[in-house]
Amino acid sequence: MERNELMIIYGDKPLEMTKKICEAAHLADMIPAGASIGLKPNLVVAKHPDTGATTHAEILEGCIQYLQEHGHKNIMIIEGSWVGDSTTRAFKVVGYDRLSRQYNVPLFDTKSDAYEHRSYGGLTMEISKTALNLDFLINMPVLKGHCQTIVTGALKNLKGTLSDREKRHFHSLGLHKPIAYLNKIVRPGFILGDGMCGDLDFEEGGNPVRMNRIFCGLDPVLIDSYICQTMGYEPDEIPYIRIAEDIGVGSTDLAHAVVTELNKDTSRAKPASSRRVAQLARYVDDKDACSACYANLIQACARLDDRGLLGWLKKTPVKIGQGYRGQTGTCPGIGNCTRGFDTHCAGCPPKTPDIIAYLEEYISR
Ligand code: SF4
């Protein structure tokens, strides 16, 4: 896999999907024999992944199975929850304690570690010694929103390698610059993103959007740019992504990236499991929409809502889903299934920015 590549797999079976995407990316070949490997999930709080806050245990399980089947046995799960929450409790709540027992993979809490001081650009940081000493780090962020930095993904997930004192220091510095600088020091060898049901706009979860995808790559800036695109933002809207690109961590150039979708999403969208998502879904008429397509539309509706435009769709709800195939209509349609309508946004599934642009144009008529 090259740094300008991204791979995406869709579905609702994260364990199997993880094994397939690791196989397709030839992850095992990137890791030297006998290397110490750290899996770094996002356990910001002790909440179940279905809330949209944390990395699914099934994704770690798929990765561990894959690595062990390829002869890589020296694996640990390493994380430090945010200040005020217990990583040990989080390990239990998300089910990593079972993984640890079943696969003989230790759980390591960076809060209990010794720290080394490392500097970049005049900023000195306290970083977990264990994280720094790993031979190969696999970063496993959740695709989700964040109340301060708008989105969170690969770049920000490395905050879990810091001491609690350093996490507080990062907040006092406004997060963006230190997050970007941290990524010049801690350099994961592989990024495996959990896009199963990340939160719409809050890192602690509560408004999960079922997006049914797992993605991987080598460049954290490119991965975070993909997360931005999926949620309907431009990478330039997120200062730490811009800074990370400027200091050479990676590239935001999605237009020239090689993006491989390993399959099509065939799972059906399910009713919203939170009030905020249900509010957005009131503007949508779904008939058998695929999960990924529906999720992209919900993210687009959230961005239109941010701009005060969503109310314009009250009288003409947006149609989406395979149930509209072969039908005609005057409402806005999303996806190739609605190509018989007077107007529709093409794609299968269409990307979130394309849906936003289409609906903005529709509203402005
Ligand atoms: S356009 Fe139709 S078939 Fe394609 S992803 Fe959307 S709902 Fe599914």
Side-chain angles (χ1 to χ4, degrees):
M1 188 171 213
E2 303 294 329
R3 275 187 80 78
N4 69 337
E5 281 185 67
L6 287 180
M7 224 171 249
I8 304 157
I9 188 165
Y10 297 100
D12 53 10
K13 295 190 170 62
L15 193 154
E16 290 84 348
M17 290 157 67
T18 301
K19 290 183 81 170
K20 277 187 190 150
I21 201 168
C22 288
E23 202 70 69
H26 301 290
L27 169 61
D29 299 343
M30 300 176 201
I31 306 173
S36 57
I37 302 166
L39 308 185
K40 165 65 184 79
N42 183 329
L43 289 190
V44 59
V45 286
K47 283 191 181 168
H48 194 273
D50 285 352
T51 64
T54 49
T55 309
H56 284 78
E58 294 89 339
I59 297 181
L60 278 91
E61 186 166 11
C63 191
I64 293 166
Q65 283 188 10
Y66 166 84
L67 290 170
Q68 292 186 342
E69 285 162 11
H70 287 77
H72 294 292
K73 311 282 186 195
N74 188 4
I75 307 167
M76 69 160 63
I77 297 171
I78 181 167
E79 172 61 318
S81 297
W82 69 1
V83 178
D85 215 328
S86 154
T87 319
T88 313
R89 199 162 69 85
F91 282 145
K92 280 203 182 96
V93 169
V94 296
Y96 296 178
D97 52 344
R98 175 189 64 81
L99 297 183
S100 177
R101 287 190 303 274
Q102 189 171 339
Y103 296 96
N104 196 22
V105 170
L107 302 173
F108 188 82
D109 180 0
T110 56
K111 285 174 189 266
S112 65
D113 205 4
Y115 302 102
E116 278 184 21
H117 289 92
R118 295 286 180 91
S119 303
Y120 177 79
L123 184 65
T124 301
M125 318 171 197
E126 252 180 21
I127 304 173
S128 151
K129 232 175 173 170
T130 306
L132 289 170
N133 289 336
L134 288 164
D135 295 320
F136 196 89
L137 184 62
I138 301 180
N139 188 1
M140 306 176 80
V142 176
L143 182 169
K144 62 179 175 176
H146 191 277
C147 65
Q148 284 167 288
T149 56
I150 304 178
V151 303
T152 170
L155 293 163
K156 194 171 167 302
N157 195 37
L158 295 186
K159 238 177 107 233
T161 65
L162 301 172
S163 67
D164 271 3
R165 182 167 55 182
E166 195 56 55
K167 286 181 195 133
R168 280 192 286 267
H169 184 214
F170 267 41
H171 280 272
S172 75
L173 296 173
L175 286 176
H176 291 282
K177 190 160 113 178
I179 287 170
Y181 284 18
L182 171 61
N183 279 267
K184 285 298 273 188
I185 300 167
V186 181
R187 310 296 295 254
F190 189 67
I191 303 150
L192 189 57
D194 179 349
M196 295 305 294
C197 62
D199 195 273
L200 191 63
D201 47 22
F202 193 32
E203 67 277 20
E204 283 189 70
N207 288 306
V209 181
R210 186 151 291 285
M211 302 200 79
N212 278 8
R213 65 194 74 182
I214 294 171
F215 47 97
C216 71
L218 306 183
D219 177 348
V221 178
L222 198 62
I223 287 276
D224 282 7
S225 301
Y226 168 72
I227 289 174
C228 285
Q229 182 190 72
T230 305
M231 297 186 69
Y233 296 106
E234 290 292 331
D236 268 351
E237 292 180 72
I238 321 297
Y240 70 76
I241 299 179
R242 165 60 39 223
I243 299 168
E245 181 171 55
D246 289 347
I247 61 174
V249 176
S251 167
T252 58
D253 190 1
L254 270 179
H256 292 97
V258 179
V259 181
T260 307
E261 293 183 313
L262 296 180
N263 61 353
K264 283 275 176 203
D265 178 32
T266 52
S267 58
R268 288 288 169 272
K270 294 190 179 130
S273 57
S274 81
R275 198 150 60 148
R276 167 94 171 106
V277 176
Q279 274 168 354
L280 298 169
R282 280 189 318 194
Y283 298 86
V284 175
D285 264 355
D286 157 39
K287 261 196 210 169
D288 298 331
C290 303
S291 298
C293 201
Y294 188 79
N296 289 357
L297 174 56
I298 290 294
Q299 297 282 4
C301 287
R303 301 294 78 78
L304 291 179
D305 199 26
D306 295 342
R307 296 167 203 176
L309 296 174
L310 195 58
W312 289 92
L313 295 171
K314 222 174 204 161
K315 288 196 182 125
T316 52
V318 185
K319 311 278 187 185
I320 184 170
Q322 298 186 33
Y324 291 108
R325 271 186 187 154
Q327 293 195 13
T328 56
T330 53
C331 287
I334 301 300
N336 291 349
C337 289
T338 57
R339 58 158 57 101
F341 284 33
D342 290 355
T343 162
H344 79 290
C345 176
C348 182
K351 292 188 174 75
T352 307
D354 296 340
I355 299 174
I356 294 171
Y358 164 74
L359 289 176
E360 280 185 334
E361 199 270 327
Y362 180 86
I363 287 164
S364 69
R365 282 178 197 172

